[in-house]
């Protein structure tokens, strides 16, 4: 659904998956600073919203997803993942329970598949799953990783999920007036998300991503809560191995006019990089999200092979980049066991 805030003077639509909301309203850096200072909100109404009601909802979600939710206190924001049988990430949810229902928002275009999966897993439990995207819109009033101050003037029926608000979609057009905040575009949110090292499903992940690779252990995965689909992979990596890849934060060369696009190859820069037969450096990863930060300049998140040296200078879509560690190369393997036993486990 196209956001009515795209009719705001100066609004410029985002692209791709985000095309139904504004990238900016004419002042990208001013909007970014305002969001960082708690003086703006971001229209993320293209995200989709589900509601799960019924007395069995928390224990049911606890048994299906990666986070411990069976004793979740009302009003507590939390993240969780739904994994496939091999432990690869399929869905990332930001949710809260209000004492009567779970409210969660997910990436654009993913709610239908999630609801279909949940419907298949209901069995005889007392739960009801509803896609309420047409009724509720997501807006964010806090920068990722920043302090949360929920403003006054929330429309009746709003749901607070940390720094995210679910407001009645009919009130989206008047959100600035209701909240007393200026609108900031999605570019502002994305730049601050990248700075906070927070991955985004489908941007900083691919079909092979497991939670350890992008730093979702702890934030969205509880390591001792018990069984759920994909839990075996999480436990095996945590106790016995390392993830094959790791998330990194990139400072990009500011003299280059363009940002590397999503999916652009990451290679090693310099004479130490081996070349393939065609003379090209081999790809060691891919660019996830990139943005221009109001203080740091051009930045990005990328996923690279675990064995890439942490001090290596990289090329991200041909743009020189220095890396900061987000997920360390030694992530996982927290239990030391006898090498002979390790070999038996592997076979």
């Amino acid at each position: 659904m196209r956001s009515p805030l795209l009719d705001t003077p100066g609004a410029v639509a985002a692209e791709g998956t985000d095309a139904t909301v504004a990238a900016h309203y004419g002042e990208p850096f001013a909007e970014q600073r305002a969001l960082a200072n708690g003086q703006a909100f971001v229209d993320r109404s293209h995200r989709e919203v589900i509601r799960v009601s019924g007395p069995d909802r928390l224990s049911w979600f606890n048994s299906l997803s990666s986070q411990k939710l069976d004793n979740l206190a009302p009003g507590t924001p939390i993240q969780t993942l739904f994994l496939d049988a091999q432990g690869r990430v399929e869905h990332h949810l930001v949710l809260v329970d209000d004492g009567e229902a779970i409210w969660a928002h997910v990436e654009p275009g993913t709610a239908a598949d999630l609801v279909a999966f949940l419907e298949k897993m209901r069995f005889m439990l007392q739960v009801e799953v509803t896609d309420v995207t047409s009724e509720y819109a997501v807006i964010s009033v806090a920068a990722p990783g920043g302090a949360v101050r929920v403003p006054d003037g929330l429309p009746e029926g709003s749901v607070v999920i940390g720094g995210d608000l679910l407001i009645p979609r009919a009130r989206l057009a008047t959100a600035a007036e209701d909240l007393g905040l200026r609108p900031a575009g999605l570019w502002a949110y994305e730049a601050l998300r990248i700075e906070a090292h927070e991955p985004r499903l489908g941007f900083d992940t691919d079909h092979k991503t497991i939670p350890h690779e992008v730093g979702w252990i702890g934030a969205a995965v509880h390591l001792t809560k018990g069984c759920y689909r994909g839990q075996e992979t999480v436990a095996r990596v945590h106790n016995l191995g390392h993830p094959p890849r790791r998330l990194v934060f990139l400072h990009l060369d500011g003299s280059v006019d363009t940002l590397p696009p999503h999916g652009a190859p990451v290679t090693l820069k310099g004479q130490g990089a081996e070349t393939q037969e065609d003379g090209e450096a081999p790809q060691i990863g891919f660019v996830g999200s990139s943005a221009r930060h109001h203080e740091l300049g051009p930045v990005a998140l990328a996923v690279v092979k675990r064995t890439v040296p942490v001090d290596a200078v990289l090329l991200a879509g041909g743009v020189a980049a220095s890396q900061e560690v987000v997920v360390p190369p030694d992530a996982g393997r927290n239990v030391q066991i006898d090498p002979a036993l390790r070999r038996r486990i592997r076979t």
Side-chain angles (χ1 to χ4, degrees):
M1 286 176 281
R2 181 182 183 275
S3 172
L5 293 178
L6 281 173
D7 296 327
T8 303
V12 175
E15 298 178 348
T17 301
D18 302 328
T20 56
V21 297
H24 63 86
Y25 298 91
E27 299 179 301
F29 288 151
E31 295 165 25
Q32 198 177 133
R33 287 190 290 270
L35 179 61
N37 293 329
Q39 300 168 341
F41 75 94
V42 179
D43 176 10
R44 301 172 72 208
S45 59
H46 59 319
R47 289 182 65 83
E48 298 178 333
V49 183
I50 67 167
R51 183 179 187 269
V52 183
S53 59
D56 296 329
R57 65 188 183 280
L58 287 175
S59 60
W60 182 55
F61 252 49
N62 186 73
S63 69
L64 294 174
S65 72
S66 62
Q67 189 60 273
K68 183 171 175 57
L69 301 171
D70 53 346
N71 58 356
L72 183 66
T76 304
I78 201 165
Q79 302 175 55
T80 194
L81 308 174
F82 283 80
L83 310 178
D84 69 10
Q86 287 71 46
R88 297 172 296 209
V89 181
E90 291 189 330
H91 296 281
H92 172 251
L93 292 75
V94 180
L95 64 85
V96 74
D97 188 87
D98 66 2
E100 296 182 355
I102 294 171
W103 297 82
H105 62 85
V106 297
E107 284 292 335
T110 65
D113 286 344
L114 176 59
V115 169
F117 168 73
L118 293 174
E119 288 289 350
K120 289 192 298 185
M121 303 303 292
R122 285 178 57 187
F123 304 115
M124 300 297 291
L125 297 175
Q126 298 182 65
V127 292
E128 183 175 351
V129 183
T130 310
D131 183 340
V132 293
T133 305
S134 62
E135 302 170 42
Y136 286 87
V138 182
I139 64 173
S140 295
V141 296
V148 175
R149 183 188 68 81
V150 178
D152 298 327
L154 296 186
E156 184 178 355
S158 297
V159 179
V160 179
I161 312 180
D164 300 330
L165 308 178
L166 308 182
I167 64 171
R169 190 168 286 275
R171 297 297 296 271
L172 181 58
T174 61
E177 180 180 349
D178 291 340
L179 303 176
L181 300 172
R182 68 175 291 178
L186 196 63
W187 280 6
Y189 187 91
E190 289 293 280
L192 297 174
R193 177 182 66 80
I194 293 169
E195 178 193 16
H197 302 170
E198 294 186 5
R200 181 178 174 188
L201 184 72
F203 285 72
D204 309 302
T205 68
D206 60 14
H207 66 286
K208 299 184 295 183
T209 298
I210 60 175
H212 277 88
E213 293 180 325
V214 293
W216 269 329
I217 301 300
V221 176
H222 193 285
L223 289 169
T224 61
K225 79 176 196 68
C227 293
Y228 54 93
R229 188 172 71 161
Q231 184 263 347
E232 294 86 353
T233 296
V234 173
R236 185 167 60 250
V237 172
H238 184 69
N239 293 323
L240 302 175
H242 300 302
R245 303 177 299 178
R246 59 185 180 88
L247 185 71
V248 296
F249 174 81
L250 300 180
H251 290 276
L252 301 169
D253 181 356
S255 67
V256 179
D257 292 335
T258 58
L259 293 169
H262 168 70
V266 176
T267 59
L268 288 171
K269 181 179 186 295
Q271 297 181 350
E274 297 180 359
T275 58
Q276 304 175 119
E277 291 183 0
D278 58 6
E280 297 291 329
Q283 182 171 342
I284 58 166
F286 68 89
V287 175
S289 308
S290 60
R292 297 190 186 278
H293 191 278
H294 69 288
E295 292 180 341
L296 301 177
V299 294
L301 293 175
V303 176
V304 301
K305 292 180 179 179
R306 179 182 65 83
T307 53
V308 173
V310 297
D311 58 350
V313 178
L314 308 177
L315 289 174
V319 180
S322 61
Q323 58 172 310
E324 287 185 14
V325 174
V326 177
V327 175
D330 61 352
R333 194 172 294 177
N334 286 284
V335 176
Q336 300 298 318
I337 63 174
D338 181 79
L341 177 59
R342 188 187 304 279
R343 286 194 294 271
R344 289 201 295 274
I345 291 174
R346 287 175 175 171
T347 57

